Amino acid sequence: MLRVLKYNIDFSHINYTVEKFLLELGYTRKIITHLKKYEKSITINGKWAYVKNKLQLNDILTVTLSETNDNNIIPNKLLFDIIYEDEDILVINKPAFMPIHPSLKNYDNTLANALTYYFNSKNESIVFRCITRLDRDTTGLCIIAKNRLAASILNAQTKKHEIQKIYVAICEGEIDNSGEIEAPIAREKESIITRCIDFEKGDYSKTLYKRLRYNKKADISLVQLKLLTGRTHQIRVHMKYINHPLIGDFLYNPHNTLMNRQALHSYKLSFVHPITREKMDFVAPLPTDMQKIISEITI
């Protein structure tokens, strides 16, 4: 799949080298090295250019990103919703019970399989790069990068906590109106999956929460959560830590069977587009199984 990007050089970038200009835009040295391997992947005014060439006013710098999809993901027609798509990204509303990546027990039922089928049907091919990953049973919004530059810039935003993620969950009991949970998370001993609170060996973790509704009859709360860090199972572990575990969470609350999965939904994503630098905001409504549980409780 090709992505062609054109830049019109203005006064602020006169005498910049191509390399310096691209680094300023978010290209990594690894991407630039990759570009150097291919003829005419970088041109100035239509002529093949080197990364040490200097730019002049009104030059047209063209960068052609190309790559071959060789990850051997099996295409499979699976249901999922595309909230937004352009040349660089997709925003997906992932359904429940769909893993992100193929694994030994989930070889052809993942989001990667579904997107491979989707792009094959359009005679396109991309390397699957999921930026904001979700657990298998968690629903909602996640970002897919369609090229290595978009992925690099979005991953940098993730590391700087510039991608804002808001979740909605249903938890046991009547939670406080609002608060924060600041407790370090570590891998539980002798487990490759389960996490726990560990004040000696855990990684710093912080979650903000706000109660949206409380159903006294069912003794459940609808809660909005904002992650200030991005640890594995962070919301699930933090909510258990304050004695309000998520309903249906077989791993951290196995005795609750109100749902057949943890009641957790990636509700809102806000970030800056990696190429256009436009502010992007997306919302995905609650899935039907969570709506059914909360019945008259709405956001």
Side-chain angles (χ1 to χ4, degrees), residues 81-291:
D81 293 325
I82 296 177
I83 304 297
Y84 174 84
E85 181 178 5
D86 61 24
E87 290 184 279
D88 303 293
I89 64 170
L90 295 96
V91 178
I92 303 296
N93 184 10
K94 188 184 81 67
F97 313 115
M98 178 183 280
I100 296 291
H101 291 98
S103 61
L104 186 61
K105 294 183 179 180
N106 297 286
Y107 194 63
D108 61 0
N109 63 333
T110 72
L111 182 59
N113 300 112
L115 277 172
T116 299
Y117 179 91
Y118 169 73
F119 284 109
N120 285 358
S121 69
K122 301 197 302 176
N123 293 318
E124 296 178 4
S125 176
I126 68 165
V127 176
F128 180 73
R129 296 182 175 100
C130 185
I131 305 301
T132 53
R133 301 177 185 182
L134 300 175
D135 293 338
R136 171 185 177 273
D137 295 344
T138 299
T139 56
L141 298 170
C142 55
I143 309 169
I144 309 298
K146 294 174 70 173
N147 56 67
R148 65 176 69 225
L149 176 60
S152 176
I153 294 172
L154 287 168
N155 282 326
Q157 289 183 22
T158 299
K159 290 178 181 178
K160 296 175 183 176
H161 307 294
E162 293 173 349
I163 298 179
Q164 296 186 8
K165 296 177 279 187
I166 294 178
Y167 292 78
V168 174
I170 305 174
C171 65
E172 289 187 353
E174 183 177 8
I175 196 169
D176 293 339
N177 287 331
S178 63
E180 62 181 48
I181 309 165
E182 200 169 11
I185 294 175
R187 191 190 303 272
E188 201 166 74
K189 282 185 178 181
E190 300 179 0
S191 175
I192 61 172
I193 298 174
T194 310
R195 267 56 177 181
C196 64
I197 301 299
D198 188 330
F199 284 93
E200 291 184 2
K201 300 178 181 179
D203 294 317
Y204 176 79
S205 307
K206 187 172 183 178
T207 305
L208 306 181
Y209 66 84
K210 179 173 71 173
R211 189 181 75 210
L212 301 174
R213 293 290 178 87
Y214 172 63
N215 186 321
K216 186 175 181 179
K217 182 177 180 181
D219 193 28
I220 55 175
S221 295
L222 182 66
V223 184
Q224 176 181 291
L225 302 119
K226 182 177 181 180
L227 298 179
L228 299 187
T229 53
R231 309 303 178 195
T232 300
H233 297 176
Q234 180 173 321
I235 288 174
R236 298 163 68 185
V237 173
H238 272 179
M239 297 307 286
K240 178 184 178 182
Y241 174 67
I242 63 170
N243 297 316
H244 292 287
L246 303 191
I247 67 170
D249 191 338
F250 70 94
L251 197 59
Y252 299 103
N253 190 21
H255 301 296
N256 186 293
T257 57
L258 281 175
M259 282 180 58
N260 60 351
R261 67 175 184 93
Q262 69 262 11
L264 183 60
H265 177 67
S266 175
Y267 171 67
K268 184 176 182 180
L269 276 178
S270 300
F271 59 97
V272 174
H273 192 286
I275 307 302
T276 68
R277 301 187 181 182
E278 178 186 357
K279 183 71 164 60
M280 312 293 283
D281 293 288
F282 300 98
V283 171
L286 284 180
T288 54
D289 57 353
M290 289 180 67
Q291 289 184 31

Side-chain angles (χ1 to χ4, degrees), residues 67-73 125-127:
E67 57 189 350
T68 303
N69 182 359
D70 56 0
N71 50 22
N72 298 318
I73 296 174
S125 176
I126 68 165
V127 176

